[in-house]
Amino acid sequence: LPSLLGIIVITLMVSLVSGSYPAFFLSSFSPVQILRGTFIKDKRGLHLRTFLVAFQFIVTITLVISTLIVFRQVHFLKNKNLGFNKDNVLAVHISKKDKNIKSQYDSLKSELLKNPDILGVTSTSNLPYRNKAAKKLPVGEPEEGKFIQLNFMRVDHDFINTLDAEMIQGRFFSKQMSSDINSFVINQAAVQDLGIKDPVGKTIPWIRGRKYTVIGVIKNFHFQSLHSKIEPLVLYLQTQGNIDHILIKIQQDNTPKAINFIKNTFREFSPERPLNYFFIDQDIDRMYRTENTFMQIFGYFTFLAIFIAFLGLFGLSAFNIQRKTKEISVRKVLGASEFNIVTLLSKNLIKLTLVANFFAWPISFFVMRRWLAQFAYRINMSFFDFLGSSGLAFIIAFITLGTLALRAAKADPVDNLKYE
């Protein structure tokens, strides 16, 4: 909200400044000058008009570059490989009041898996991309007083198969191994931060002095948003009555049919509780709602800035060409070609656009570098982001001025010189 209000205030200020200058400038002319047409020869304010148009181009190029980088970052956030499969995975939130579901989870899971359109079912304490559960664990010698923050998540045996996660070392939890109730599966970040070599078989102290044996290492996956780097994580088995989410992987071709089956199955186990479900890929998109809104606002203001810059450039070009009408006519009489005249009129435009790029590039770079710094995982700004945006500015400028310059070059010099 503060960013949106800031943009609105800046827009109003720019609009006020841009609109007030022409009003004061035009009001300074006397009626006699206007009726005679001599006010065009007056060079007062020419440099200020050029500055305002250059400022508009600086703002426009900065916004175009920024919008392109924001769009690429948002696309990156939505499409980055998170280390697990998020497609067609339905999540069901289990509240504390869903006691029937919690106590009969194994039976519910068996019923769901009878449907061929359901490819996997697992339960977790937290969503695998929104996990915030963590505790500090002492590492090294006690006298050193060092601690490491370990994130943790309770899962069942089918977590890795349902989400297509990948094991790096050892194995995942197995129903055939009753000892796994006292075991950990840790991620690569935990191995690194704990400083354990060959972690499989090593023990890690946990709550109330209990020790858990590491049975495997899972490949790093993003269990938090991409604003944060992947931190140490431990997975351990949860009991049947301690379930917060159920994840169900569905056959893509029969999604509506599978959802109806899931609803009916849950209704059999908990008829009084409505089914609270959502698809995790859509929920992940909602995690970046702020970035999406930011991108849309930037897009709207970029379009507005391009339109205003076009109008400003059109007015300045028309004014300059009108001032040089007789010079153009004399040059044509002396044999200048249309190409020579268009080139002559375009020199100042090229300088103006280059100056605008000179200021817009560093402004865009520093602003976007600061914005991207909030993401632990982000795109790299590319030279083509800047070059492409500047190319768009040049195209707008040449189309605007080229049309006016070509029309002036084609005009009959006799019409402009017969009164001299």
Side-chain angles (χ1 to χ4, degrees):
L1 184 59
S3 300
L4 180 60
L5 291 175
I7 293 174
I8 293 174
V9 170
I10 292 173
T11 303
L12 292 175
M13 290 179 61
V14 172
S15 301
L16 180 63
V17 173
S18 300
S20 60
Y21 173 74
F24 285 117
F25 179 74
L26 291 176
S27 64
S28 66
F29 293 121
S30 68
V32 176
Q33 284 181 307
I34 297 174
L35 292 173
R36 288 180 178 178
T38 57
F39 71 96
I40 295 177
K41 295 180 181 180
D42 193 349
K43 294 184 179 180
R44 289 178 302 167
L46 177 60
H47 294 302
L48 181 56
R49 286 191 292 276
T50 304
F51 168 78
L52 289 175
V53 173
F55 176 74
Q56 288 177 337
F57 257 68
I58 292 173
V59 173
T60 300
I61 295 171
T62 300
L63 283 174
V64 172
I65 294 172
S66 302
T67 300
L68 181 58
I69 293 174
V70 170
F71 175 82
R72 289 181 55 227
Q73 175 64 18
V74 172
H75 182 268
F76 172 80
L77 294 175
K78 291 183 176 181
N79 294 277
K80 188 181 186 306
N81 183 3
L82 300 180
F84 62 88
N85 181 18
K86 63 180 181 177
D87 298 326
N88 254 51
V89 177
L90 183 144
V92 180
H93 174 66
I94 309 300
S95 70
K96 294 181 179 179
K97 296 181 180 180
D98 291 327
K99 295 181 180 180
N100 290 339
I101 300 296
K102 290 177 179 288
S103 61
Q104 302 179 70
Y105 168 68
D106 288 340
S107 299
L108 171 66
K109 182 175 180 179
S110 298
E111 287 297 318
L112 290 172
L113 290 173
K114 289 179 181 179
N115 190 321
D117 294 328
I118 295 178
L119 305 178
V121 179
T122 188
S123 63
T124 62
S125 58
N126 293 292
L127 292 170
Y129 50 90
R130 287 185 182 268
N131 186 68
K132 294 182 179 180
K135 74 179 296 287
K136 287 186 177 181
L137 185 73
V139 293
E141 298 299 328
E143 60 272 12
E144 294 178 0
K146 294 182 179 179
F147 291 86
I148 180 176
Q149 179 164 294
L150 276 179
N151 298 269
F152 61 90
M153 187 188 306
R154 300 187 307 271
V155 299
D156 75 0
H157 304 88
D158 294 314
F159 175 85
I160 192 168
N161 294 326
T162 303
L163 295 180
D164 297 326
E166 183 180 342
M167 292 296 293
I168 297 296
Q169 189 177 354
R171 62 176 179 84
F172 201 68
F173 303 112
S174 173
K175 291 181 179 180
Q176 285 71 41
M177 301 292 292
S178 59
S179 60
D180 282 356
I181 194 67
N182 295 314
S183 300
F184 274 162
V185 171
I186 64 177
N187 69 350
Q188 293 169 287
V191 174
Q192 182 177 355
D193 284 22
L194 288 170
I196 304 175
K197 294 182 179 180
D198 300 322
V200 176
K202 301 292 177 61
T203 59
I204 297 177
W206 200 239
I207 302 172
R208 300 184 183 92
R210 294 180 62 182
K211 291 188 177 182
Y212 284 73
T213 302
V214 177
I215 60 172
V217 178
I218 191 171
K219 186 176 181 180
N220 282 341
F221 66 89
H222 293 275
F223 58 89
Q224 297 172 333
S225 78
L226 296 178
H227 290 88
S228 306
K229 68 176 184 178
I230 297 177
E231 298 176 344
L233 174 70
V234 297
L235 306 176
Y236 62 96
L237 286 174
Q238 63 180 357
T239 58
Q240 179 167 283
N242 196 15
I243 296 170
D244 296 303
H245 297 88
I246 298 176
L247 307 180
I248 307 170
K249 187 177 180 180
I250 301 173
Q251 184 75 35
Q252 187 172 2
D253 298 333
N254 297 316
T255 301
K257 182 180 176 182
I259 291 177
N260 286 331
F261 175 80
I262 292 169
K263 288 180 178 179
N264 293 331
T265 304
F266 270 84
R267 193 177 296 117
E268 292 176 5
F269 284 83
S270 183
E272 73 284 357
R273 302 294 301 172
L275 184 65
N276 181 13
Y277 73 93
F278 51 89
F279 283 94
I280 66 172
D281 57 345
Q282 297 174 359
D283 192 41
I284 290 173
D285 286 345
R286 285 191 290 269
M287 288 174 60
Y288 305 109
R289 186 179 301 167
T290 301
E291 286 73 21
N292 273 312
T293 304
F294 192 66
M295 179 182 68
Q296 292 173 0
I297 292 174
F298 252 69
Y300 295 145
F301 278 92
T302 299
F303 176 80
L304 180 62
I306 291 174
F307 180 71
I308 293 174
F310 170 79
L311 292 180
L313 183 63
F314 184 88
L316 180 65
S317 301
F319 180 81
N320 287 335
I321 290 173
Q322 184 65 32
R323 289 178 58 248
K324 295 184 177 182
T325 298
K326 291 180 175 56
E327 178 186 345
I328 294 170
S329 300
V330 170
R331 288 179 179 274
K332 286 197 68 175
V333 170
L334 296 177
S337 65
E338 293 178 357
F339 176 78
N340 295 137
I341 293 173
V342 172
T343 303
L344 174 68
L345 296 174
S346 301
K347 286 182 179 179
N348 289 334
L349 172 69
I350 295 174
K351 293 178 182 178
L352 184 147
T353 310
L354 288 174
V355 169
N357 279 282
F358 178 80
F359 287 100
W361 280 32
I363 293 173
S364 304
F365 176 80
F366 287 113
V367 171
M368 285 294 99
R369 186 176 68 171
R370 184 170 182 177
W371 181 75
L372 289 171
Q374 66 180 303
F375 302 96
Y377 301 90
R378 54 186 177 265
I379 62 169
N380 292 318
M381 285 186 286
S382 169
F383 175 73
F384 294 101
D385 294 331
F386 297 83
L387 189 63
S389 302
S390 300
L392 177 62
F394 271 106
I395 291 172
I396 294 172
F398 276 111
I399 290 177
T400 305
L401 179 62
T403 303
L404 294 172
L406 191 60
R407 186 173 64 180
K410 288 180 176 291
D412 189 350
V414 176
D415 294 334
N416 297 322
L417 296 174
K418 62 183 177 181
Y419 295 113
E420 296 297 318

